[in-house]
Amino acid sequence: MMRYCLTIALLMTAVSLLAENLVADEGGKEDKPLPAMHHVVKVKPPKGMKVPQKFPLNDQGKIDCNTCHGIKDIEDIPIDEVDKQAHNFHRGGPYKQLSDFCYHCHGKKDYQRSNIHQLLDDNNEYDEKDCEYCHKKAPDPEKDIKRDELEFRLPPQKLCFGCHLKTPHLNALNHQVAPDKEMRKRIADAEKRLNIILPLDQTGKVMCVTCHAPHEPGVIDKEKPAGRQVANADLDKGVSYVEHAWNTVFSADKKARLEKLATEGGGVHTLRYQRIETEVLLRLSAKNGVLCQACHKFER
Ligand code: HEC
Ligand code: HEC
Ligand code: HEC
Ligand code: HEC
Ligand code: HEC
Ligand code: HEC
């Protein structure tokens, strides 16, 4: 399974792949406790939340394993043995999009989060309160700020998770590792050559903001390394893709294997092979491979 994911991830420069349901990706890991970002359990639904009857609460009226997972005694099964492809893994599934599962309990409207990245108003001014969603105190972009002076409300590698899944796209998870010495050198070279930053977390690991700029362009002067990011596409539009015929890089063999993977998901996985059309909030463009090449050296 993991090998398939990696095979696919390798193709990301040319195409982009979206798997709306990423459980299978996490399933590749062995002997893992419930993922850190797993949904809260054993809490009472608040007033106003209507949990449908087909999602049984436990005898204390709280949500529990059985509420969301239709797999009998899931709590007694080692995680790597749980059949995440089972239709009832998410009760009432399979779902094309994980969010459809969430909407059974969370109102669509409440669940819609505000786009915290849209920080500037029509006059290019911002509200410090918005900055302080992530920063302890809004830093002054005019000043020269050292990275270790920045203070956040959560460690920067965790800032994104309340609103985004831990696995927003397939290879986000396998990227949260520390680059080796050779790659660190390549990163340092790229930072200098391209006048950008590719910040790692305190333990030297890649994090979301290594690749992604958290701010809308213009918050930080675009002459500064931290302010350089892909030219603005419409933040409302976000990342978009154009439907894309099979790229010639797919050999018939890979195509067959990818199709098999898609079928193994029993329709749960919506695999789309598309080319990135517009990009937002990236420090470098992935469309043309520059982002990937800042760290990787690909064989030709
Ligand atoms: C409110 C719903 C909800 C409850 C309650 C819940 N889960 Fe989950 N669980 C999920 C969702 C959603 C995912 C998939 C997360 C994702 O794809 O990012 C998941 C994933 C899992 C996985 C797969 C983890 C992996 O990465 O391989 C296991 C195993 C699991 N849950 C077990 C449990 C157990 C055991 C309990 C009870 C202690 C429980 N869950 C309670 C919603 C729930
Ligand atoms: C069976 C009902 C149910 C489903 C399905 C469900 N949730 Fe929840 N969720 C709850 C309950 C109950 C709470 C606790 C609510 C509270 O105290 O406000 C909660 C809380 C949360 C919270 C706040 C967690 C915290 O630590 O405060 C988030 C975020 C969340 N859910 C996201 C999701 C997402 C994303 C999905 C789909 C993958 C999902 N939920 C599916 C019932 C559900
Ligand atoms: C979604 C979270 C988030 C929000 C909201 C946010 N920031 Fe940041 N900001 C970050 C992160 C993460 C970094 C650090 C990146 C790194 O490790 O270098 C950062 C870094 C900075 C820096 C340092 C840049 C440098 O030169 O290294 C400045 C200045 C800054 N932010 C200003 C702001 C201002 C002003 C706002 C509000 C208009 C804001 N930020 C809102 C997450 C956020
Ligand atoms: C190695 C670089 C890299 C890392 C690390 C990374 N991303 Fe991404 N992300 C990308 C690229 C490239 C895209 C552009 C679209 C695509 O290829 O799917 C993207 C797209 C996205 C999107 C838009 C997806 C869509 O289709 O609308 C979100 C949201 C996102 N990333 C959030 C995150 C979060 C949250 C993390 C940390 C858990 C993260 N990313 C880690 C490179 C990265
Ligand atoms: C307060 C909630 C919130 C936080 C915190 C947050 N985001 Fe977002 N983000 C959003 C919303 C809302 C959107 C608009 C698209 C959507 O609804 O998914 C978005 C969009 C994005 C996109 C572009 C995807 C697209 O297609 O529009 C990327 C990339 C992204 N966020 C990365 C991050 C990263 C990296 C962090 C952590 C530094 C982060 N976000 C923190 C709410 C948040
Ligand atoms: C900030 C540095 C960085 C960027 C940018 C980056 N990667 Fe990675 N990538 C890593 C690290 C670190 C690893 C894990 C160590 C390794 O496998 O070499 C990794 C692993 C991978 C793997 C798994 C390789 C394996 O054999 O385990 C693939 C595939 C991959 N990256 C593709 C990409 C693509 C495609 C892009 C561009 C969208 C990209 N990466 C951007 C740092 C980066």
Side-chain angles (χ1 to χ4, degrees), residues 91-104:
R91 199 174 273 286
Y95 296 92
K96 270 217 161 115
Q97 304 198 32
L98 194 54
S99 53
D100 291 336
F101 171 67
C102 317
Y103 294 148
H104 283 302

Side-chain angles (χ1 to χ4, degrees), residues 110-124:
D110 318 331
Y111 187 66
Q112 267 174 2
R113 313 138 300 173
S114 60
N115 189 336
I116 193 70
H117 313 286
Q118 274 170 343
L119 293 161
L120 300 174
D121 65 19
D122 292 344
N123 301 321
N124 274 343

Side-chain angles (χ1 to χ4, degrees), residues 5-13 171 174-175 177-180 183 187 198 200 206 210-211 286 289 291-296 298:
C5 294
L6 295 183
T7 310
I8 291 169
L10 268 172
L11 303 169
M12 250 193 53
T13 30
N171 62 2
N174 16 341
H175 266 97
V177 286
D180 60 17
M183 193 187 281
I187 294 176
L198 294 166
L200 303 173
V206 174
T210 306
C211 297
L291 174 69
C292 318
Q293 279 160 7
C295 298
H296 292 284
F298 293 110

Side-chain angles (χ1 to χ4, degrees), residues 18-27 90 98 165-171 173 268-269:
L18 283 182
E20 306 279 74
N21 185 328
L22 293 146
V23 173
D25 184 31
E26 302 216 323
H90 288 125
L98 194 54
L165 285 176
K166 199 175 157 201
T167 50
H169 43 84
L170 256 188
N171 62 2
L173 198 66
V268 180
H269 299 275

Side-chain angles (χ1 to χ4, degrees), residues 116-117 119 126-127 130-131 133-135 138-141 145 147 150 152 156 159 197 199 207 209 214-215 219-220 224 226 283:
I116 193 70
H117 313 286
L119 293 161
Y126 59 80
D127 183 344
D130 291 337
C131 315
Y133 191 94
C134 296
H135 293 276
D140 183 352
I145 297 169
R147 275 191 70 215
L150 291 170
F152 296 99
L159 278 174
I197 57 168
M207 55 181 169
V209 295
H215 317 105
V219 171
I220 299 176
K224 286 192 177 182
R283 298 197 185 274

Side-chain angles (χ1 to χ4, degrees), residues 21-23 26-27 32 34-35 38-42 63-65 67-69 74-75 79 82 84 89-90 98 101 165 167:
N21 185 328
L22 293 146
V23 173
E26 302 216 323
K32 214 158 42 81
L34 273 191
H38 186 278
H39 194 283
V40 289
V41 293
K42 298 190 171 48
I63 54 166
D64 213 333
C65 318
T67 311
C68 293
H69 300 292
I74 188 172
E75 61 274 28
I79 288 186
V82 170
K84 289 153 202 125
F89 173 70
H90 288 125
L98 194 54
F101 171 67
L165 285 176
T167 50

